[in-house]
């Protein structure tokens, strides 16, 4: 075998031996996992501190209760809120919220729009509309 052919066959294997193995090194993987664990720990710490500052209440809990609402348009709504012993009728439009009416707390009638209708009733209305349109 001529010496040039022997070196030509040996050269690619020698070149491959000098390149690092593909993939991520274990130290880089460990560093990324420790960074992720640190960020998650910070999130839990901030959530714990926020809960302590709010006095044990979760976010969004308070003296308000949404009783119902109606959409007047794509961006306009009227909602009924219960705040303590008062009911508030609130108008909501883009960029503005206004109290429309205040009244003492009462009882909602069972057939009020705030009480959700059963699905069967909604489906019956839908099928009646389709039947009359044909």
């Amino acid at each position: 075998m001529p010496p040039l052919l022997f070196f030509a066959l040996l050269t690619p294997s020698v070149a491959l031996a000098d390149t690092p193995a593909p993939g991520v090194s274990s130290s880089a993987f460990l560093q990324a996992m420790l960074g992720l664990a640190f960020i998650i720990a910070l999130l839990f710490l901030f959530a714990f501190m926020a809960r302590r500052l709010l006095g044990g209440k979760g976010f969004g809990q308070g003296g308000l209760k949404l009783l119902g609402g109606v959409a007047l348009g794509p961006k306009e709504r009227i909602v009924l809120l219960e705040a303590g012993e008062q009911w508030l009728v609130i108008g909501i439009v883009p960029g503005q919220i206004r109290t429309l009416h205040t009244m003492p707390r009462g009882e909602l009638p069972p057939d009020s729009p705030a009480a959700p209708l059963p699905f069967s009733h909604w489906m019956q209305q839908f099928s009646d509309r389709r039947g009359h349109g044909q």
Side-chain angles (χ1 to χ4, degrees):
M1 180 186 271
L4 285 175
L5 184 58
F6 178 72
F7 284 119
L9 293 175
L10 229 137
T11 306
S13 63
V14 171
L16 288 178
D18 292 340
T19 60
V24 179
S25 68
S26 60
S27 63
F29 181 75
L30 182 62
Q31 185 179 7
M33 288 298 116
L34 287 175
L36 182 62
F38 179 72
I39 291 171
I40 291 173
L42 279 177
L43 286 173
F44 278 114
L45 176 68
F46 287 142
F48 174 75
M49 293 304 289
R51 186 172 220 180
R52 295 278 298 198
L53 291 174
L54 290 174
K57 292 182 189 174
F59 295 108
Q61 293 179 352
L64 292 177
K65 186 191 300 183
L66 179 66
L67 300 176
V70 63
L72 301 175
K75 296 182 180 181
E76 299 86 16
R77 290 185 62 82
I78 294 179
V79 295
L80 179 63
L81 296 175
E82 182 179 305
E85 295 297 317
Q86 293 288 318
W87 278 1
L88 305 170
V89 180
I90 307 288
I92 303 172
V93 296
Q96 196 173 40
I97 298 174
R98 289 205 173 186
T99 303
L100 302 176
H101 187 67
T102 304
M103 59 187 146
R105 182 174 154 191
E107 292 291 323
L108 291 175
D111 61 342
S112 71
L117 295 174
F119 181 74
S120 60
H121 180 70
W122 178 81
M123 195 63 183
Q124 182 65 40
Q125 286 181 338
F126 180 72
S127 64
D128 288 346
R129 275 192 239 150
R130 280 186 60 93
H132 292 297
Q134 291 177 348

